[in-house]
Amino acid sequence: MLNSIEQAELGSKVVLCRFDFNVPIVDGEIMDDTRIRRALPTIEYLLNQNAKIIITSHLGRPKGIVVPSLSLRPVALYLENKLDQPVNFVDKIVGSEVRKAVGGLRLGLDNIVVLENTRFDKREKSNDPEFAKELAALADIFVSDAFGTVHRAHASTVGVANYLPSFAGFLVNDEYSRISEAMKNPVNPTIAIIGGSKVSTKLDMINNLMEIADTIIIGGGMIFTFLMAQDKEIGKSLVELPMIDTASDLIVKAEAMGVRLIIPKDIRIGKDLRTPILEEREAKIVNNDKIPLDAMGLDIGKDAEKEIIEIIGTAKTIFWNGPMGVFENELYRSGTEKITRAILNRNVTTIIGGGDSVYALNMITSEPIPSNIHVSTGGGASMELLSGIDLPGIECLKSK
Ligand code: ADP
Ligand code: MG
Protein backbone atom coordinates (compact mmCIF):
# COMPACT_ATOMS: atom_id res chain seq x y z
CA MET A 1 0.00 0.00 0.00
CA LEU A 2 1.15 3.50 -0.79
CA ASN A 3 0.81 6.55 1.42
CA SER A 4 -2.19 8.16 -0.17
CA ILE A 5 -2.76 11.86 -0.59
CA GLU A 6 -6.01 11.38 1.34
CA GLN A 7 -4.00 10.56 4.49
CA ALA A 8 -2.08 13.85 4.33
CA GLU A 9 -2.88 17.01 6.30
CA LEU A 10 -2.84 19.48 3.45
CA GLY A 11 -4.59 22.65 4.68
CA SER A 12 -2.36 25.74 4.25
CA LYS A 13 0.62 23.49 3.47
CA VAL A 14 2.99 24.02 0.57
CA VAL A 15 2.88 20.85 -1.54
CA LEU A 16 5.61 20.00 -4.03
CA CYS A 17 3.91 17.97 -6.78
CA ARG A 18 5.65 15.92 -9.45
CA PHE A 19 3.52 15.14 -12.50
CA ASP A 20 4.34 13.57 -15.84
CA PHE A 21 3.48 16.44 -18.14
CA ASN A 22 5.72 15.09 -20.88
CA VAL A 23 3.15 15.99 -23.53
CA PRO A 24 3.70 16.60 -27.25
CA ILE A 25 3.92 20.36 -27.86
CA VAL A 26 4.19 21.93 -31.33
CA ASP A 27 4.68 25.71 -31.59
CA GLY A 28 3.48 26.19 -28.02
CA GLU A 29 0.34 24.13 -28.61
CA ILE A 30 -0.37 20.94 -26.64
CA MET A 31 -1.24 18.23 -29.18
CA ASP A 32 -2.40 15.56 -26.72
CA ASP A 33 -3.47 16.55 -23.21
CA THR A 34 -4.20 13.03 -21.87
CA ARG A 35 -1.43 13.13 -19.27
CA ILE A 36 -2.52 16.52 -17.95
CA ARG A 37 -6.18 15.50 -17.82
CA ARG A 38 -5.29 12.36 -15.85
CA ALA A 39 -3.55 14.58 -13.25
CA LEU A 40 -6.45 16.99 -12.74
CA PRO A 41 -8.20 15.02 -9.93
CA THR A 42 -5.07 15.39 -7.79
CA ILE A 43 -4.70 19.10 -8.52
CA GLU A 44 -8.40 19.70 -7.84
CA TYR A 45 -8.22 17.76 -4.57
CA LEU A 46 -5.22 19.83 -3.44
CA LEU A 47 -7.10 23.02 -4.31
CA ASN A 48 -10.17 21.87 -2.36
CA GLN A 49 -7.98 21.03 0.61
CA ASN A 50 -6.61 24.57 0.55
CA ALA A 51 -3.02 23.69 -0.22
CA LYS A 52 -0.43 25.83 -1.97
CA ILE A 53 0.76 23.93 -5.00
CA ILE A 54 4.16 23.80 -6.68
CA ILE A 55 4.02 21.84 -9.93
CA THR A 56 7.09 20.15 -11.40
CA SER A 57 7.57 17.89 -14.41
CA HIS A 58 10.05 16.97 -17.07
CA LEU A 59 9.35 17.45 -20.77
CA GLY A 60 11.27 15.69 -23.53
CA ARG A 61 15.00 15.05 -23.40
CA PRO A 62 16.82 18.38 -23.03
CA LYS A 63 19.94 16.65 -21.61
CA GLY A 64 20.57 19.04 -18.72
CA ILE A 65 20.47 22.30 -20.69
CA VAL A 66 17.78 24.91 -21.37
CA VAL A 67 15.93 24.11 -24.62
CA PRO A 68 13.26 26.81 -25.14
CA SER A 69 10.98 24.54 -27.21
CA LEU A 70 10.79 22.19 -24.19
CA SER A 71 9.63 24.84 -21.73
CA LEU A 72 6.68 23.99 -19.46
CA ARG A 73 5.17 27.45 -19.98
CA PRO A 74 2.45 26.10 -22.37
CA VAL A 75 1.43 23.65 -19.63
CA ALA A 76 1.00 26.52 -17.15
CA LEU A 77 -1.19 28.35 -19.69
CA TYR A 78 -3.20 25.18 -20.30
CA LEU A 79 -3.79 24.73 -16.55
CA GLU A 80 -4.84 28.35 -16.17
CA ASN A 81 -7.57 27.83 -18.77
CA LYS A 82 -8.60 24.41 -17.53
CA LEU A 83 -8.79 25.36 -13.84
CA ASP A 84 -10.11 28.85 -14.56
CA GLN A 85 -7.80 30.49 -12.05
CA PRO A 86 -4.39 32.18 -12.17
CA VAL A 87 -1.40 29.85 -12.55
CA ASN A 88 2.06 31.36 -12.09
CA PHE A 89 5.03 30.20 -14.11
CA VAL A 90 8.71 30.65 -13.19
CA ASP A 91 11.31 29.83 -15.83
CA LYS A 92 13.62 28.38 -13.16
CA ILE A 93 13.56 25.12 -11.18
CA VAL A 94 15.29 26.27 -7.97
CA GLY A 95 16.84 29.49 -6.68
CA SER A 96 15.75 32.90 -5.45
CA GLU A 97 13.12 33.59 -8.14
CA VAL A 98 11.45 30.30 -7.35
CA ARG A 99 11.55 30.95 -3.59
CA LYS A 100 10.01 34.38 -4.18
CA ALA A 101 7.21 32.94 -6.33
CA VAL A 102 6.45 30.24 -3.75
CA GLY A 103 6.52 32.82 -0.95
CA GLY A 104 4.00 34.88 -2.93
CA LEU A 105 1.39 32.10 -3.19
CA ARG A 106 -1.91 33.17 -1.59
CA LEU A 107 -4.58 30.72 -0.46
CA GLY A 108 -7.83 30.93 -2.32
CA LEU A 109 -6.51 33.46 -4.80
CA ASP A 110 -3.27 32.63 -6.36
CA ASN A 111 -2.07 29.30 -5.07
CA ILE A 112 -0.41 27.47 -7.97
CA VAL A 113 3.05 27.88 -9.42
CA VAL A 114 4.52 25.81 -12.25
CA LEU A 115 8.31 25.51 -12.31
CA GLU A 116 10.45 25.02 -15.42
CA ASN A 117 11.28 21.62 -16.95
CA THR A 118 13.24 19.69 -14.30
CA ARG A 119 15.51 18.18 -16.97
CA PHE A 120 16.88 21.62 -17.86
CA ASP A 121 19.20 20.89 -14.90
CA LYS A 122 21.55 17.94 -15.30
CA ARG A 123 21.31 17.27 -11.57
CA GLU A 124 17.74 16.00 -12.10
CA LYS A 125 18.72 12.77 -13.84
CA SER A 126 21.76 12.16 -11.64
CA ASN A 127 19.43 12.42 -8.61
CA ASP A 128 21.80 14.95 -7.05
CA PRO A 129 21.08 15.20 -3.31
CA GLU A 130 21.82 18.94 -3.11
CA PHE A 131 19.41 19.65 -5.96
CA ALA A 132 16.75 17.42 -4.37
CA LYS A 133 17.27 19.14 -1.00
CA GLU A 134 16.88 22.60 -2.57
CA LEU A 135 13.64 21.55 -4.27
CA ALA A 136 12.34 19.91 -1.10
CA ALA A 137 13.15 23.03 0.95
CA LEU A 138 10.43 24.89 -0.98
CA ALA A 139 7.65 22.75 0.49
CA ASP A 140 6.17 20.93 3.51
CA ILE A 141 4.92 17.83 1.67
CA PHE A 142 5.76 15.89 -1.50
CA VAL A 143 3.06 14.41 -3.71
CA SER A 144 4.05 12.20 -6.64
CA ASP A 145 1.52 11.70 -9.38
CA ALA A 146 4.00 11.10 -12.19
CA PHE A 147 3.26 7.46 -12.94
CA GLY A 148 5.01 7.69 -16.33
CA THR A 149 8.34 8.34 -14.55
CA VAL A 150 8.12 6.22 -11.38
CA HIS A 151 10.66 3.79 -12.84
CA ARG A 152 13.30 6.53 -12.88
CA ALA A 153 15.19 7.54 -9.73
CA HIS A 154 15.56 11.24 -10.43
CA ALA A 155 15.85 14.18 -8.02
CA SER A 156 12.26 15.38 -8.48
CA THR A 157 10.69 11.89 -8.53
CA VAL A 158 12.63 10.12 -5.77
CA GLY A 159 15.36 12.38 -4.31
CA VAL A 160 12.94 14.86 -2.73
CA ALA A 161 11.15 12.02 -0.90
CA ASN A 162 14.23 11.71 1.34
CA TYR A 163 13.50 15.13 2.80
CA LEU A 164 9.69 15.42 2.89
CA PRO A 165 6.68 13.37 4.01
CA SER A 166 5.70 11.77 0.69
CA PHE A 167 2.32 10.70 -0.70
CA ALA A 168 0.93 9.20 -3.88
CA GLY A 169 -1.53 11.23 -5.92
CA PHE A 170 -4.69 9.62 -7.29
CA LEU A 171 -3.17 8.57 -10.63
CA VAL A 172 -0.11 6.85 -9.14
CA ASN A 173 -2.28 5.17 -6.53
CA ASP A 174 -4.80 3.96 -9.10
CA GLU A 175 -2.16 2.72 -11.55
CA TYR A 176 -0.11 0.96 -8.89
CA SER A 177 -3.02 -0.65 -7.06
CA ARG A 178 -4.76 -1.88 -10.22
CA ILE A 179 -1.63 -3.31 -11.82
CA SER A 180 -0.26 -4.91 -8.65
CA GLU A 181 -3.67 -6.31 -7.66
CA ALA A 182 -4.12 -7.94 -11.07
CA MET A 183 -0.67 -9.52 -10.71
CA LYS A 184 -1.07 -10.64 -7.09
CA ASN A 185 -4.59 -12.02 -7.20
CA PRO A 186 -5.51 -12.79 -10.79
CA VAL A 187 -8.78 -14.61 -11.39
CA ASN A 188 -7.92 -17.52 -13.71
CA PRO A 189 -7.74 -18.21 -16.59
CA THR A 190 -5.16 -15.45 -16.88
CA ILE A 191 -3.64 -14.60 -20.24
CA ALA A 192 -0.83 -12.31 -21.34
CA ILE A 193 -0.70 -10.95 -24.89
CA ILE A 194 2.76 -9.64 -25.62
CA GLY A 195 3.59 -8.00 -28.92
CA GLY A 196 5.61 -5.07 -30.16
CA SER A 197 8.88 -4.96 -31.95
CA LYS A 198 11.50 -6.78 -29.91
CA VAL A 199 11.89 -9.75 -27.58
CA SER A 200 14.86 -8.14 -25.84
CA THR A 201 12.89 -5.19 -24.45
CA LYS A 202 10.09 -7.45 -23.16
CA LEU A 203 12.03 -10.46 -21.96
CA ASP A 204 11.78 -9.69 -18.22
CA MET A 205 8.07 -9.09 -18.60
CA ILE A 206 7.50 -12.35 -20.50
CA ASN A 207 9.43 -14.27 -17.83
CA ASN A 208 7.50 -12.70 -14.97
CA LEU A 209 4.10 -13.03 -16.62
CA MET A 210 4.85 -16.70 -17.25
CA GLU A 211 4.72 -17.12 -13.48
CA ILE A 212 1.28 -15.52 -13.39
CA ALA A 213 -0.54 -16.45 -16.61
CA ASP A 214 -1.85 -19.78 -17.93
CA THR A 215 -1.44 -18.65 -21.53
CA ILE A 216 1.11 -16.37 -23.16
CA ILE A 217 0.33 -15.10 -26.66
CA ILE A 218 3.20 -13.76 -28.72
CA GLY A 219 2.53 -11.10 -31.36
CA GLY A 220 4.24 -8.35 -33.33
CA GLY A 221 7.80 -8.34 -34.58
CA MET A 222 8.99 -10.75 -31.88
CA ILE A 223 7.03 -13.60 -33.49
CA PHE A 224 9.83 -14.15 -35.97
CA THR A 225 12.55 -14.68 -33.40
CA PHE A 226 10.34 -17.45 -31.97
CA LEU A 227 9.67 -18.92 -35.44
CA MET A 228 13.39 -18.95 -36.16
CA ALA A 229 13.94 -20.72 -32.84
CA GLN A 230 11.60 -23.38 -34.27
CA ASP A 231 13.76 -23.57 -37.42
CA LYS A 232 11.16 -21.93 -39.65
CA GLU A 233 11.98 -19.72 -42.62
CA ILE A 234 11.11 -16.08 -41.81
CA GLY A 235 12.22 -14.33 -45.02
CA LYS A 236 13.10 -10.70 -44.39
CA SER A 237 11.03 -10.41 -41.19
CA LEU A 238 12.32 -8.57 -38.16
CA VAL A 239 14.51 -10.86 -36.08
CA GLU A 240 16.90 -10.53 -33.16
CA LEU A 241 19.55 -13.13 -33.87
CA PRO A 242 21.15 -12.92 -30.38
CA MET A 243 17.73 -13.68 -28.85
CA ILE A 244 17.07 -16.95 -30.69
CA ASP A 245 18.46 -19.11 -27.88
CA THR A 246 16.46 -17.09 -25.38
CA ALA A 247 13.31 -17.69 -27.42
CA SER A 248 14.07 -21.45 -27.48
CA ASP A 249 14.55 -21.37 -23.70
CA LEU A 250 11.20 -19.61 -23.27
CA ILE A 251 9.48 -22.28 -25.37
CA VAL A 252 11.02 -25.02 -23.20
CA LYS A 253 10.31 -23.17 -19.96
CA ALA A 254 6.65 -22.63 -20.89
CA GLU A 255 6.25 -26.32 -21.58
CA ALA A 256 7.93 -27.30 -18.31
CA MET A 257 5.67 -24.92 -16.38
CA GLY A 258 2.52 -26.03 -18.15
CA VAL A 259 1.99 -22.58 -19.62
CA ARG A 260 0.40 -22.53 -23.07
CA LEU A 261 2.58 -20.47 -25.41
CA ILE A 262 0.75 -19.31 -28.53
CA ILE A 263 2.80 -18.39 -31.56
CA PRO A 264 0.52 -17.14 -34.37
CA LYS A 265 -0.29 -19.83 -36.95
CA ASP A 266 -0.45 -17.52 -39.93
CA ILE A 267 1.04 -14.19 -40.92
CA ARG A 268 0.17 -11.21 -43.12
CA ILE A 269 3.15 -10.38 -45.27
CA GLY A 270 4.60 -7.53 -47.34
CA LYS A 271 7.72 -6.91 -49.41
CA ASP A 272 9.00 -4.50 -46.78
CA LEU A 273 7.58 -2.01 -44.26
CA ARG A 274 6.33 0.25 -47.04
CA THR A 275 5.49 -2.15 -49.89
CA PRO A 276 2.53 -4.43 -49.27
CA ILE A 277 1.88 -7.74 -51.04
CA LEU A 278 -1.83 -7.74 -51.87
CA GLU A 279 -4.37 -10.45 -52.54
CA GLU A 280 -7.90 -9.25 -53.26
CA ARG A 281 -6.98 -5.81 -51.93
CA GLU A 282 -5.93 -7.18 -48.53
CA ALA A 283 -2.48 -8.07 -47.27
CA LYS A 284 -1.54 -11.60 -48.36
CA ILE A 285 -1.65 -14.24 -45.62
CA VAL A 286 0.60 -17.31 -45.41
CA ASN A 287 1.13 -20.09 -42.86
CA ASN A 288 3.89 -19.35 -40.38
CA ASP A 289 6.16 -21.91 -42.06
CA LYS A 290 5.52 -20.56 -45.57
CA ILE A 291 6.95 -17.05 -45.41
CA PRO A 292 8.68 -16.44 -48.78
CA LEU A 293 12.38 -15.58 -48.72
CA ASP A 294 11.78 -12.08 -50.10
CA ALA A 295 8.81 -11.23 -47.81
CA MET A 296 8.42 -9.70 -44.38
CA GLY A 297 5.87 -10.69 -41.71
CA LEU A 298 3.93 -7.57 -40.75
CA ASP A 299 0.80 -8.74 -38.93
CA ILE A 300 -0.84 -11.92 -37.66
CA GLY A 301 -3.20 -13.77 -40.04
CA LYS A 302 -6.89 -14.65 -39.81
CA ASP A 303 -6.48 -18.10 -38.23
CA ALA A 304 -4.24 -16.60 -35.55
CA GLU A 305 -6.79 -13.85 -34.93
CA LYS A 306 -9.54 -16.44 -34.54
CA GLU A 307 -7.49 -18.53 -32.11
CA ILE A 308 -6.54 -15.51 -29.98
CA ILE A 309 -10.09 -14.11 -29.94
CA GLU A 310 -11.31 -17.48 -28.64
CA ILE A 311 -8.72 -17.46 -25.87
CA ILE A 312 -9.66 -13.90 -24.92
CA GLY A 313 -13.30 -15.06 -24.85
CA THR A 314 -12.69 -17.36 -21.87
CA ALA A 315 -10.04 -15.30 -20.02
CA LYS A 316 -10.86 -13.77 -16.63
CA THR A 317 -7.68 -11.68 -16.36
CA ILE A 318 -5.82 -10.17 -19.32
CA PHE A 319 -2.47 -8.43 -19.58
CA TRP A 320 -1.76 -6.81 -22.94
CA ASN A 321 1.42 -5.04 -23.95
CA GLY A 322 2.54 -4.52 -27.54
CA PRO A 323 0.71 -4.37 -30.89
CA MET A 324 0.18 -7.52 -32.96
CA GLY A 325 1.53 -5.98 -36.16
CA VAL A 326 2.57 -2.80 -37.93
CA PHE A 327 -0.75 -1.18 -37.03
CA GLU A 328 0.44 2.23 -38.25
CA ASN A 329 -0.33 0.89 -41.77
CA GLU A 330 -4.04 0.15 -42.23
CA LEU A 331 -3.23 -3.03 -44.18
CA TYR A 332 -1.46 -4.49 -41.14
CA ARG A 333 -3.79 -3.20 -38.41
CA SER A 334 -6.24 -6.07 -38.44
CA GLY A 335 -4.58 -8.24 -35.76
CA THR A 336 -4.25 -5.38 -33.29
CA GLU A 337 -7.77 -4.17 -34.09
CA LYS A 338 -9.45 -7.58 -33.67
CA ILE A 339 -7.67 -8.17 -30.39
CA THR A 340 -8.54 -4.72 -29.09
CA ARG A 341 -12.22 -5.27 -29.90
CA ALA A 342 -12.22 -8.73 -28.31
CA ILE A 343 -10.66 -7.33 -25.11
CA LEU A 344 -13.16 -4.45 -24.95
CA ASN A 345 -16.10 -6.84 -25.49
CA ARG A 346 -14.80 -9.28 -22.91
CA ASN A 347 -14.61 -6.58 -20.22
CA VAL A 348 -12.80 -8.60 -17.53
CA THR A 349 -9.92 -7.32 -15.37
CA THR A 350 -7.43 -6.10 -17.96
CA ILE A 351 -4.17 -4.19 -17.82
CA ILE A 352 -3.13 -2.47 -21.05
CA GLY A 353 0.31 -0.86 -21.17
CA GLY A 354 2.90 0.26 -23.70
CA GLY A 355 3.12 3.61 -25.49
CA ASP A 356 2.39 2.20 -28.94
CA SER A 357 -0.31 -0.15 -27.68
CA VAL A 358 -2.23 2.74 -26.13
CA TYR A 359 -1.69 4.78 -29.28
CA ALA A 360 -3.13 1.88 -31.31
CA LEU A 361 -6.06 1.53 -28.89
CA ASN A 362 -6.93 5.20 -29.29
CA MET A 363 -6.65 4.88 -33.06
CA ILE A 364 -9.05 1.92 -33.05
CA THR A 365 -11.72 3.17 -30.65
CA SER A 366 -12.97 6.47 -29.34
CA GLU A 367 -15.65 4.84 -27.17
CA PRO A 368 -15.30 5.12 -23.38
CA ILE A 369 -13.18 2.24 -22.02
CA PRO A 370 -15.15 -0.16 -19.73
CA SER A 371 -14.24 0.22 -16.06
CA ASN A 372 -12.66 -3.24 -15.67
CA ILE A 373 -10.06 -2.31 -18.23
CA HIS A 374 -7.09 -0.29 -17.04
CA VAL A 375 -5.18 1.66 -19.67
CA SER A 376 -1.86 2.68 -18.17
CA THR A 377 -0.41 6.15 -18.76
CA GLY A 378 3.11 4.81 -18.22
CA GLY A 379 4.60 2.60 -20.93
CA GLY A 380 8.00 1.89 -19.36
CA ALA A 381 6.69 2.11 -15.80
CA SER A 382 3.88 -0.40 -16.35
CA MET A 383 6.25 -2.73 -18.20
CA GLU A 384 8.71 -2.70 -15.29
CA LEU A 385 5.90 -3.33 -12.78
CA LEU A 386 4.75 -6.28 -14.91
CA SER A 387 8.35 -7.47 -14.93
CA GLY A 388 8.17 -7.80 -11.15
CA ILE A 389 10.70 -5.02 -10.52
CA ASP A 390 10.45 -2.65 -7.51
CA LEU A 391 10.21 0.87 -8.89
CA PRO A 392 12.09 3.63 -7.04
CA GLY A 393 9.33 6.20 -7.55
CA ILE A 394 6.84 3.78 -5.98
CA GLU A 395 9.01 2.45 -3.16
CA CYS A 396 9.61 5.99 -1.85
CA LEU A 397 5.85 6.39 -1.36
CA LYS A 398 5.52 3.37 0.95
CA SER A 399 5.49 3.81 4.73
CA LYS A 400 8.99 3.50 6.13
P1 ADP B 1 4.73 -0.70 -26.94
O1 ADP B 1 5.17 0.75 -27.10
O2 ADP B 1 3.25 -0.84 -26.90
O3 ADP B 1 5.43 -1.35 -25.80
P2 ADP B 1 6.66 -1.58 -28.88
O4 ADP B 1 7.34 -0.26 -28.80
O5 ADP B 1 7.35 -2.75 -28.30
O6 ADP B 1 5.19 -1.49 -28.26
O7 ADP B 1 6.37 -1.97 -30.40
C1 ADP B 1 5.57 -1.18 -31.23
C2 ADP B 1 6.09 -1.20 -32.65
O8 ADP B 1 6.26 -2.53 -33.11
C3 ADP B 1 5.13 -0.53 -33.60
O9 ADP B 1 5.72 0.63 -34.13
C4 ADP B 1 4.88 -1.59 -34.67
O10 ADP B 1 4.85 -1.06 -35.98
C5 ADP B 1 6.06 -2.51 -34.49
N1 ADP B 1 5.77 -3.85 -35.01
C6 ADP B 1 4.73 -4.65 -34.72
N2 ADP B 1 4.76 -5.78 -35.46
C7 ADP B 1 5.85 -5.71 -36.24
C8 ADP B 1 6.43 -6.55 -37.26
N3 ADP B 1 5.85 -7.71 -37.58
N4 ADP B 1 7.56 -6.14 -37.85
C9 ADP B 1 8.12 -4.95 -37.52
N5 ADP B 1 7.63 -4.11 -36.60
C10 ADP B 1 6.51 -4.46 -35.97
MG1 MG C 1 6.94 1.61 -27.97
Side-chain angles (χ1 to χ4, degrees):
M1 280 297 281
L2 305 183
N3 300 325
S4 147
I5 190 176
E6 286 164 306
Q7 299 161 331
E9 268 297 331
L10 296 164
S12 311
K13 297 278 170 56
V14 180
V15 181
L16 177 69
C17 297
R18 177 58 156 92
F19 294 104
D20 179 357
F21 289 159
N22 185 20
V23 290
I25 298 180
V26 178
D27 295 332
E29 197 190 328
I30 296 173
M31 308 310 287
D32 179 357
D33 64 353
T34 312
R35 287 186 158 154
I36 310 182
R37 277 188 289 109
R38 294 287 288 263
L40 289 175
T42 293
I43 298 178
E44 277 159 3
Y45 181 79
L46 290 169
L47 286 171
N48 286 333
Q49 297 290 309
N50 241 335
K52 297 177 183 173
I53 307 170
I54 307 171
I55 290 178
T56 66
S57 175
H58 74 287
L59 176 62
R61 298 171 187 268
K63 305 218 164 84
I65 54 165
V66 175
V67 178
S69 63
L70 296 177
S71 170
L72 278 177
R73 189 186 292 275
V75 171
L77 285 172
Y78 173 99
L79 285 172
E80 192 156 70
N81 283 325
K82 198 85 188 170
L83 299 168
D84 201 17
Q85 71 159 73
V87 172
N88 301 287
F89 176 73
V90 192
D91 66 356
K92 298 281 181 312
I93 313 158
V94 287
S96 58
E97 280 172 59
V98 172
R99 284 194 294 274
K100 202 168 142 226
V102 173
L105 293 176
R106 292 287 166 264
L107 286 176
L109 301 166
D110 198 4
N111 49 351
I112 305 182
V113 60
V114 176
L115 306 184
E116 189 49 288
N117 187 344
T118 50
R119 289 193 191 165
F120 282 1
D121 194 312
K122 64 178 188 321
R123 296 174 297 172
E124 162 74 339
K125 286 181 85 170
S126 62
N127 194 5
D128 180 274
E130 288 307 315
F131 181 56
K133 213 184 272 181
E134 205 177 334
L135 262 176
L138 298 167
D140 306 307
I141 287 172
F142 173 53
V143 167
S144 168
D145 215 15
F147 185 74
T149 23
V150 288
H151 56 316
R152 310 256 186 249
H154 293 169
S156 70
T157 58
V158 170
V160 291
N162 289 321
Y163 309 105
L164 291 173
S166 303
F167 300 88
F170 292 116
L171 177 64
V172 163
N173 223 341
D174 182 53
E175 290 258 19
Y176 177 70
S177 57
R178 292 188 69 170
I179 298 173
S180 53
E181 188 56 28
M183 289 168 68
K184 257 183 262 156
N185 299 311
V187 181
N188 291 331
T190 298
I191 70 168
I193 307 168
I194 303 172
S197 48
K198 292 179 171 176
V199 186
S200 53
T201 56
K202 312 237 159 141
L203 181 64
D204 292 340
M205 182 168 62
I206 300 176
N207 268 311
N208 194 49
L209 288 174
M210 226 179 241
E211 310 283 333
I212 299 170
D214 319 289
T215 304
I216 306 263
I217 296 161
I218 300 291
M222 66 177 84
I223 293 170
F224 308 98
T225 304
F226 281 89
L227 290 179
M228 205 155 185
Q230 295 176 326
D231 288 328
K232 288 179 179 147
E233 175 56 53
I234 59 158
K236 293 190 300 180
S237 306
L238 188 71
V239 65
E240 286 178 283
L241 295 174
M243 298 303 288
I244 291 172
D245 286 346
T246 308
S248 301
D249 293 347
L250 285 170
I251 294 171
V252 173
K253 180 177 160 186
E255 201 167 308
M257 289 176 68
V259 173
R260 183 163 55 146
L261 185 70
I262 304 287
I263 299 166
K265 290 179 174 142
D266 57 348
I267 304 288
R268 286 181 164 86
I269 56 172
K271 281 227 168 304
D272 55 49
L273 278 171
R274 255 164 237 92
T275 325
I277 300 175
L278 295 180
E279 205 170 71
E280 290 171 21
R281 274 184 262 141
E282 286 187 29
K284 185 176 163 80
I285 299 176
V286 295
N287 272 337
N288 74 13
D289 56 355
K290 296 276 179 327
I291 300 174
L293 280 173
D294 61 349
M296 206 178 166
L298 294 172
D299 193 9
I300 60 174
K302 286 189 181 166
D303 290 343
E305 285 173 2
K306 200 164 157 254
E307 183 179 24
I308 299 169
I309 289 167
E310 264 176 42
I311 296 170
I312 292 170
T314 58
K316 295 244 169 68
T317 307
I318 303 172
F319 296 93
W320 176 35
N321 175 299
M324 295 295 100
V326 182
F327 68 93
E328 294 91 337
N329 181 339
E330 213 180 333
L331 285 166
Y332 301 103
R333 193 176 300 155
S334 174
T336 306
E337 178 156 358
K338 297 272 162 50
I339 271 131
T340 303
R341 299 215 183 280
I343 290 173
L344 295 175
N345 280 337
R346 180 72 184 139
N347 193 15
V348 292
T349 301
T350 301
I351 304 295
I352 303 179
D356 293 289
S357 312
V358 175
Y359 178 61
L361 175 79
N362 291 331
M363 194 184 254
I364 289 161
T365 179
S366 50
E367 303 278 301
I369 305 294
S371 61
N372 287 323
I373 297 174
H374 178 69
V375 181
S376 179
T377 56
S382 67
M383 187 161 82
E384 290 199 18
L385 269 184
L386 295 175
S387 302
I389 299 170
D390 283 344
L391 310 191
I394 292 288
E395 294 306 305
C396 70
L397 305 175
K398 291 182 175 167
S399 306
K400 290 172 186 112

